[in-house]
């Protein structure tokens, strides 16, 4: 059973703005019956002010698809078209108190229906940017074509890079095998085409080798040894290293409209400030963990990254 | 109000008598059956009884033809992997497109990583196996044919006794995933040519985590799990004594209730099915109505989606299941219904009601009472639904969305 928030349940059991609208100014039809989701969004727009005065929906889909559609209508009514178009699928999910990762595509459908309805209102053709093809990452709706393009355009050679660029594999991680397959295939093709050096290409066998875990010294069986005298980092060196590592990660976060700044370092606590799309993002804790792992790797000491 | 449980193909309640039989083996008689002392000896005797009880339900000739496993999935994996090892020179497996993932996912893996050729036999619109295609696929390279006895989603039965004979004519082993059939159908393995059969305890009011693989005497088996000498070296690991004993009791009870399943339970299912079709338009039964399990009804309600139906049923205290994409986390609807070429608009809205001997007339009444309202409610939300039929009735307003 999915863990639906109270609000998702409420919007599913008692959907607002469901039904057909007569004389709609714009209609957006998105989804596909093969995916089990389809949404028709109908909007009424005041031609003078450009304000969406009313919205209705019809949805073929699961509980969260119906709730997301209803939430979308609630979010856009009273907004100008320009304002409404600034909404993201995350806003729909947030409005509903969050959606299970596997159901995030329901909010994406709402986001796209709005664009389709606005295009229809303006008399434009709406092009969606999705490939026809099987989804690899279901959580973020990433298909094989999108991964392949990201790999080719950016010369990606690791799973982590693909996740940074496309989000694929960034949530439930069940699709990692599939992503690695696409990555290996694309890299191999790039090597043949002379676009990539064979030594850099993703090698699935290498990726599956065991990975060592940074020592935390917390095993109850660990023998207490005299601390090995090793060139200790000065505080300044540590902070510089931390700063460098965070700077290195920021471009990836910015791609998703988020950001992360170093605020302070207190002992092993690294205080950071998340901003932009990271705020209220369900994936924020995943991001923080990623930053933490990167820092531990860089410094070779246990650290805790704490968003403030 | 008492909840209505109609999802017995997913799992069943452990019969209280089976629980009672199991309990002493957790605390009083906790010994390891392999031990030399008295703690072990008393367990050994109980295991023997349990094995006989299951033997009787299966109509197996010998009790040592039963190998206990952790469940249906392990049994299926053991059977196919063993056949590929023992049938030297034979590198092909025949199965059907509507098998359980325990078979299909294994076959996909064998095909991709172990160079095994897999023949997946199609079914027709009623879910019936294309027996001619099966016959053609059998050949000197076939190591094993594995065809389910009863389909978990539609209840459709396959003629496994005949399929086993056909496999033997081609010199191939025959296995059947009978997880849904055992306990619901009278079975007499000693009069069939079936070589191997998988079953699962929790589908017949026994505990979870226990199952068995029947391996006909004389059929060679290579264990999947190696280690100790348990199950005559065919499945290592300390016997799950309480579960085996619970399964034994469940088997005895299933046999005792077999005629009830075939008559009263079947009548409940039929009344529900007929009642739903009468009350709700644009709905139909999937599967082969003439050859199916007595307890299973799979009804497709067009133009709406299954998860939404299940959520509303759940709120009304009714538990059923669906082959809908959204309930499984995948985006494709049931592979079984798609293989039967059920249109997407209906496959997404297919609901399975599966009964057991614990259901009664009042359960059917409850579903018939709430279901028409639930379907009407969801159809009023659906862009594919227009008044009394599909939206395509009005071509100008036809709903033809862009893929997103």
């Amino acid at each position: 059973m999915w863990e639906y928030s109270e609000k998702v349940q409420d919007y599913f059991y008692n959907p607002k703005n469901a039904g057909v609208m007569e004389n709609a100014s714009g209609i957006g039809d998105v989804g596909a019956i093969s995916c089990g989701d389809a949404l028709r969004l109908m909007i009424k727009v005041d031609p003078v002010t450009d304000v969406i005065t009313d919205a209705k929906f019809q949805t073929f889909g699961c509980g969260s698809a119906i709730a997301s559609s209803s939430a979308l209508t609630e979010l856009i009514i009273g907004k100008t078209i320009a304002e409404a178009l600034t909404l993201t699928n995350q806003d729909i999910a947030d409005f509903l108190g969050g959606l299970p990762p596997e159901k995030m595509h329901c909010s994406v459908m709402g986001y796209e229906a709005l664009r389709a309805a606005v295009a229809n209102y303006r008399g434009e053709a709406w092009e969606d940017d999705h490939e026809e093809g099987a989804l690899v990452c279901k959580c973020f709706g990433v298909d094989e074509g999108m991964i392949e393009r990201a790999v080719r355009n950016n010369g990606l050679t690791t799973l982590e890079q693909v996740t940074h660029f496309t989000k694929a594999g960034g949530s439930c991680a069940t699709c990692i095998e599939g992503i690695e397959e696409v990555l290996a295939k694309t890299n191999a093709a790039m090597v043949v085409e002379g676009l990539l050096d064979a030594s850099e290409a993703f090698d699935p066998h290498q990726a599956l080798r065991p990975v060592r875990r940074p020592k935390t010294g917390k095993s109850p069986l660990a023998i207490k040894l005299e601390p090995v005298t090793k060139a200790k980092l000065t505080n300044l060196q540590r902070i510089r290293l931390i700063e460098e590592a965070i700077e290195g990660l920021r471009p990836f976060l910015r791609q998703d409209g988020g950001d992360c700044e170093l605020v302070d370092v207190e002992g092993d606590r690294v205080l950071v400030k998340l901003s932009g799309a990271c705020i209220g993002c369900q994936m924020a804790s995943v991001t923080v963990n990623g930053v933490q792992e990167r820092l531990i790797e860089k410094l070779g000491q246990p650290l805790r990254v704490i968003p403030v | 109000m008492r909840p209505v449980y109609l999802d017995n193909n997913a799992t069943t309640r452990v019969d209280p008598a089976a629980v009672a039989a199991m309990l002493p083996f957790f605390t009083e008689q906790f010994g390891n059956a392999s031990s030399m002392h008295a703690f072990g000896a008393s367990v050994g005797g109980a295991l023997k009884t349990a094995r006989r009880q299951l033997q009787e339900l299966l109509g197996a000739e010998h009790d040592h033809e039963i190998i206990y496993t952790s469940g249906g999935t392990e049994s299926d994996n053991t059977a196919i992997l063993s056949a590929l090892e023992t049938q030297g020179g034979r590198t092909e497996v025949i199965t059907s497109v509507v098998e359980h993932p325990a078979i299909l996912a294994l076959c996909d893996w064998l095909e991709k990583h172990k160079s095994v050729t897999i023949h997946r036999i199609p079914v027709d619109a009623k879910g019936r196996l294309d027996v001619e295609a099966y016959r053609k696929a059998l050949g000197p390279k076939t190591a094993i044919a594995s065809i389910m006895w009863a389909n978990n989603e539609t209840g459709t039965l396959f003629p496994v006794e005949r399929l086993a004979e056909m496999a033997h004519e081609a010199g191939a082993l025959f296995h059947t995933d009978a997880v849904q059939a055992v306990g619901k159908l009278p079975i007499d393995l000693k009069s069939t040519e079936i070589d191997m059969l998988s079953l699962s305890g929790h589908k017949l009011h026994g505990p979870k985590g226990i199952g068995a693989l029947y391996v006909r005497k004389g059929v060679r088996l290579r264990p999947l799990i190696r280690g100790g000498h348990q199950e005559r070296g065919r499945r290592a690991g300390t016997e799950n004594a309480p579960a085996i004993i619970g399964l034994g009791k469940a088997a005895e009870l299933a046999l005792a209730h077999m005629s009830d399943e075939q008559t009263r339970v079947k009548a409940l299912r039929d009344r529900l099915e007929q009642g739903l079709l009468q009350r709700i338009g644009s709905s139909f039964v999937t599967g082969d109505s003439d050859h199916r399990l007595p307890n299973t009804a799979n009804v497709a309600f067009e133009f709406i989606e299954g998860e939404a139906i299940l959520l509303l049923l759940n709120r009304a205290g009714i538990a059923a299941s669906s082959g809908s994409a959204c309930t499984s986390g995948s985006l494709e609807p049931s592979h079984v219904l798609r293989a039967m070429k059920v249109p997407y608009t209906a496959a997404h809205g297919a609901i399975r009601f599966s009964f057991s001997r614990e259901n009664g007339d009042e359960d059917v009444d409850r579903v018939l009472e709430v279901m028409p309202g639930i379907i009407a409610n969801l159809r009023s939300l659906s862009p594919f639904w227009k008044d009394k039929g599909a939206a395509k009735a009005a071509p100008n307003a036809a709903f033809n969305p862009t893929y997103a």
Side-chain angles (χ1 to χ4, degrees):
Chain A
M1 195 90 176
W2 302 106
E3 282 179 28
Y4 285 143
S5 70
E6 293 275 325
K7 208 155 172 195
V8 172
Q9 294 185 34
D10 186 40
Y11 271 78
F12 166 65
Y13 289 130
N14 310 298
K16 299 188 173 69
N17 308 317
V20 180
M21 177 188 284
E22 301 299 331
N23 306 320
S25 319
I27 295 178
D29 290 347
V30 294
I33 189 67
S34 59
C35 299
D37 279 335
L39 161 59
R40 165 173 284 181
L41 176 69
M42 293 148 276
I43 53 173
K44 193 153 279 176
V45 183
D46 183 325
V48 181
T49 59
D50 228 20
V51 168
I52 299 170
T53 55
D54 197 9
K56 291 238 177 204
F57 78 93
Q58 283 183 296
T59 295
F60 171 96
C62 57
S64 58
I66 290 172
S68 295
S69 309
S70 184
L72 169 71
T73 59
E74 290 276 279
L75 280 166
I76 62 173
I77 292 174
K79 286 197 170 66
T80 63
I81 287 184
E83 286 166 350
L85 286 176
T86 64
L87 292 171
T88 65
N89 70 303
Q90 190 65 50
D91 292 323
I92 297 172
D94 291 346
F95 179 85
L96 290 169
L99 288 170
E102 296 87 342
K103 296 285 191 175
M104 280 302 283
H105 65 268
C106 295
S107 63
V108 174
M109 189 167 69
Y111 169 87
E112 307 206 325
L114 175 62
R115 269 146 191 79
V118 168
N120 177 258
Y121 165 63
R122 290 176 175 164
E124 300 162 359
W126 182 71
E127 297 276 339
D128 70 282
D129 58 353
H130 286 265
E131 299 280 311
E132 286 287 340
L135 287 184
V136 176
C137 169
K138 282 156 189 160
C139 297
F140 293 113
V142 183
D143 58 44
E144 189 171 333
M146 291 165 83
I147 296 175
E148 199 184 316
R149 258 177 290 138
V151 170
R152 279 186 171 275
N153 295 345
N154 304 290
L156 309 183
T157 55
T158 68
L159 172 71
E160 291 71 22
Q161 288 172 338
V162 175
T163 303
H164 281 308
F165 272 82
T166 65
K167 298 191 189 175
S171 183
C172 72
T174 50
C175 62
I176 281 176
E177 207 181 320
I179 299 172
E180 289 188 335
E181 228 169 81
V182 179
L183 179 60
K185 204 170 72 185
T186 311
N187 273 185
M190 289 162 73
V191 170
V192 172
E193 294 161 31
L195 300 172
L196 186 71
D197 192 81
S199 65
E200 286 174 32
F202 174 74
D203 175 0
H205 296 296
Q206 215 50 46
L208 300 178
R209 300 276 180 251
V211 179
R212 299 210 56 183
R213 184 198 288 277
K215 280 266 175 293
T216 57
K218 282 185 189 149
S219 162
L221 302 174
I223 300 163
K224 295 273 187 294
L225 287 176
E226 286 302 306
V228 182
T229 42
K230 199 170 128 191
K232 254 182 80 178
L233 294 173
T234 68
N235 255 341
L236 188 62
Q237 284 170 324
R238 276 186 62 204
I239 293 174
R240 282 216 179 109
L241 274 175
I242 291 169
E243 235 172 357
E244 267 171 41
I246 290 180
E247 280 307 314
L249 289 171
R250 288 176 73 180
F252 294 113
L253 296 174
R254 286 193 189 129
Q255 265 172 5
D256 292 338
D259 206 348
C260 171
E261 282 170 82
L262 179 62
V263 175
D264 201 358
V265 181
E266 297 171 354
D268 68 346
R269 289 153 42 93
V270 177
L271 309 181
V272 298
K273 181 167 171 267
L274 295 176
S275 53
C278 292
I279 303 293
C281 172
Q282 290 183 306
M283 303 293 296
S285 67
V286 177
T287 306
V288 168
N289 279 335
V291 173
Q292 178 167 309
E293 270 171 38
R294 181 61 72 91
L295 293 184
I296 292 172
E297 196 182 305
K298 269 256 155 91
L299 276 78
Q301 353 179 297
L303 285 171
R304 277 206 301 152
V305 173
I306 298 161
V308 292
Chain B
M1 215 185 312
R2 193 176 76 96
V4 175
Y5 186 77
L6 290 173
D7 200 11
N8 288 283
N9 284 12
T11 195
T12 55
R13 186 174 83 116
V14 182
D15 195 291
V19 176
M22 291 168 74
L23 283 178
F25 293 89
F26 286 104
T27 50
E28 293 156 26
Q29 301 179 56
F30 59 87
N32 186 327
S34 305
S35 301
M36 281 308 295
H37 44 65
F39 288 89
S42 61
V43 177
L47 292 181
K48 211 166 195 169
T49 307
R51 204 181 286 274
R52 293 236 170 89
Q53 287 166 321
L54 186 56
Q55 178 196 355
E56 203 173 331
L57 178 66
L58 298 178
E61 196 168 2
H62 308 282
D63 69 350
H64 59 74
E65 291 175 323
I66 291 164
I67 302 171
Y68 288 108
T69 67
S70 63
T73 299
E74 186 191 323
S75 298
D76 287 345
N77 274 262
T78 305
I80 291 184
L81 293 170
S82 167
L84 285 167
E85 266 194 72
T86 60
Q87 307 301 299
R90 290 174 173 252
T91 55
E92 298 186 3
V93 173
I94 297 175
T95 186
S96 81
V97 290
V98 296
E99 296 295 310
H100 188 272
I103 295 285
L104 287 181
L106 173 67
C107 285
D108 289 347
W109 179 80
L110 286 169
E111 188 172 47
K112 199 164 158 192
H113 298 286
K114 300 287 160 186
S115 314
V116 174
T117 304
I118 309 289
H119 300 273
R120 298 173 182 83
I121 309 302
V123 296
D124 68 8
K126 284 191 150 189
R128 292 174 298 204
L129 193 78
D130 183 341
V131 176
E132 218 24 64
Y134 173 78
R135 186 194 305 280
K136 283 194 188 123
L138 283 165
K141 298 295 275 179
T142 314
I144 188 166
S146 174
I147 305 284
M148 68 200 327
W149 198 315
N151 186 270
N152 48 314
E153 290 187 30
T154 63
T156 301
L157 302 177
F158 286 150
V160 287
E161 295 178 348
R162 183 151 68 95
L163 300 175
E165 289 162 17
M166 289 165 68
H168 285 174
E169 282 163 24
L173 286 171
F174 184 84
H175 165 257
T176 182
D177 177 344
V179 160
Q180 294 295 345
V182 173
K184 297 175 191 148
L185 291 180
I187 289 176
D188 189 46
L189 286 174
K190 61 181 170 295
S191 63
T192 76
E193 292 195 30
I194 293 167
D195 294 305
M196 293 191 265
L197 172 145
S198 302
L199 68 95
S200 168
H202 73 99
K203 306 285 190 191
L204 54 132
H205 302 281
K208 294 169 180 64
I210 189 75
L213 178 65
Y214 158 87
V215 181
R216 186 179 167 205
K217 189 182 173 186
V219 172
R220 296 290 298 278
L221 190 90
R222 294 283 160 81
L224 180 69
I225 296 177
R226 291 165 195 278
H229 55 83
Q230 296 87 355
E231 303 298 304
R232 299 186 170 208
R234 295 172 298 177
R235 204 288 192 176
T238 298
E239 297 88 350
N240 185 352
I244 290 170
I245 288 155
L247 173 56
K249 188 69 192 174
E252 182 190 291
L253 292 166
L255 197 55
H257 289 91
M258 191 58 78
S259 71
D260 179 57
E261 186 87 19
Q262 300 295 321
T263 55
R264 188 186 62 87
V265 173
K266 182 167 184 283
L268 289 176
R269 187 273 313 270
D270 291 342
R271 187 162 80 82
L272 174 74
E273 206 171 76
Q274 291 314 313
L276 287 172
L277 296 185
Q278 274 165 18
R279 288 167 175 79
I280 301 168
S282 295
S283 61
F284 58 90
V285 171
T286 71
D288 184 1
S289 306
D290 300 327
H291 298 96
R292 59 176 171 162
L293 293 173
N295 79 319
T296 308
N298 189 309
V299 184
F301 301 98
E302 292 184 272
F303 313 116
I304 45 177
E305 199 274 340
E307 184 197 300
I309 302 173
L310 294 184
L311 288 170
L312 292 174
L313 277 173
N314 183 54
R315 197 167 63 154
I318 297 166
S321 76
S322 117
S324 134
C326 272
T327 51
S328 60
S330 83
L331 295 177
E332 278 286 303
S334 146
H335 70 286
V336 176
L337 299 182
R338 288 304 300 147
M340 291 158 60
K341 309 235 166 27
V342 174
Y344 276 114
T345 40
H348 281 292
I351 299 294
R352 178 186 71 187
F353 300 96
S354 45
F355 289 78
S356 82
R357 60 177 186 253
E358 299 191 339
N359 291 113
D361 268 315
E362 64 284 5
D363 296 332
V364 175
D365 294 336
R366 284 273 295 288
V367 178
L368 291 179
E369 188 188 318
V370 303
M371 200 64 175
I374 289 175
I375 301 298
N377 173 10
L378 290 172
R379 279 182 177 164
S380 74
L381 292 177
S382 169
F384 291 104
W385 180 255
K386 199 135 199 162
D387 299 327
K388 285 187 176 112
K392 60 176 178 277
N396 295 333
F399 183 69
N400 191 15
T402 313
Y403 173 79

